[in-house]
């Protein structure tokens, strides 16, 4: 993120405090100096609060798959929503492995086929439920699936 920010700063001098960005050692520090101000937020807490979808998950009415690896370095497992924070239309799936938004599987260099297959299966399941007249999942929410991508 710092490398990309350096390029942005070279194109747009003064856009943010480059020295403070270079000193940042945590995601919170980086977001305080770069992300929050660039996107109109007061500070990191304002950004993390207002940019989060978590407060509205209980109001979702369409079938939704919330898929996040438990080992995501940007969104720790403790920040993931629980059953009581989402509507019956939301399926929570939190595999143990997957990193940040990639779910690479197999030996090096790996492949990226698990995520597209899972998303396609979710849409297929939603279509079947829709045709059957059901807007929620069998047995409520299907949460805490720990299947590791293969």
């Amino acid at each position: 993120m710092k490398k990309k920010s350096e390029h942005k700063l070279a194109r747009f001098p003064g856009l943010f405090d480059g020295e403070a960005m270079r000193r940042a050692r945590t995601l919170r520090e980086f977001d305080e100096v770069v992300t929050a101000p660039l996107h109109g937020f007061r500070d990191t807490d304002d950004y993390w609060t207002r940019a989060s979808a978590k407060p509205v998950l209980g109001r979702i009415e369409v079938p939704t798959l919330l898929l996040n690896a438990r080992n995501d370095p940007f969104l720790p497992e403790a920040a993931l929503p629980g059953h009581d924070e989402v509507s019956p239309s939301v399926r929570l799936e939190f595999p143990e492995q997957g990193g940040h938004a990639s779910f690479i599987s197999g030996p090096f260099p790996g492949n990226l086929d698990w995520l597209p297959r899972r998303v396609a299966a979710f849409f297929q399941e939603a279509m079947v439920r829709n045709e059957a007249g059901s807007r929620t999942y069998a047995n409520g929410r299907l949460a805490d699936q720990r299947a590791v991508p293969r």
Side-chain angles (χ1 to χ4, degrees):
M1 293 187 326
K2 286 184 177 182
K3 186 175 181 178
K4 185 175 180 180
S5 296
E6 287 285 0
H7 290 292
K8 188 171 287 280
L9 198 55
R11 288 186 60 206
F12 305 99
L15 188 60
F16 54 85
D17 184 341
E19 286 304 315
M21 182 269 299
R22 290 179 200 96
R23 285 191 307 269
R25 296 288 175 250
T26 67
L27 184 58
R28 173 176 277 283
E29 291 171 356
F30 181 87
D31 282 350
E32 185 73 27
V33 175
V34 180
T35 311
L38 282 183
H39 298 283
F41 296 97
R42 181 182 65 251
D43 55 25
T44 301
D45 288 332
D46 183 43
Y47 165 52
W48 287 0
T49 300
R50 292 197 300 137
S52 174
K54 198 171 187 180
V56 298
L57 294 175
R59 298 193 312 259
I60 292 177
E61 295 182 13
V62 297
T64 300
L65 174 64
L66 199 155
L67 181 62
N68 202 98
R70 293 178 188 272
N71 71 340
D72 184 331
F74 287 99
L75 188 64
E77 184 175 353
L80 298 174
H83 300 292
D84 60 332
E85 297 174 282
V86 302
S87 81
S89 296
V90 176
R91 177 178 287 187
L92 301 177
E93 292 187 17
F94 304 141
E96 292 294 330
Q97 302 293 316
H100 183 66
S102 58
F103 293 95
I104 297 172
S105 60
F108 183 81
N111 60 58
L112 295 171
D113 66 342
W114 183 85
L115 183 59
R117 284 186 292 114
R118 179 60 200 108
V119 171
F122 174 78
F123 285 129
Q124 181 64 40
E125 294 162 14
M127 288 180 3
V128 168
R129 278 190 309 279
N130 187 49
E131 290 170 3
S134 172
R135 294 187 63 190
T136 61
Y137 297 97
N139 302 319
R141 298 168 199 91
L142 200 111
D144 297 328
Q145 288 199 355
R146 296 176 185 261
V148 176
R150 292 192 169 94

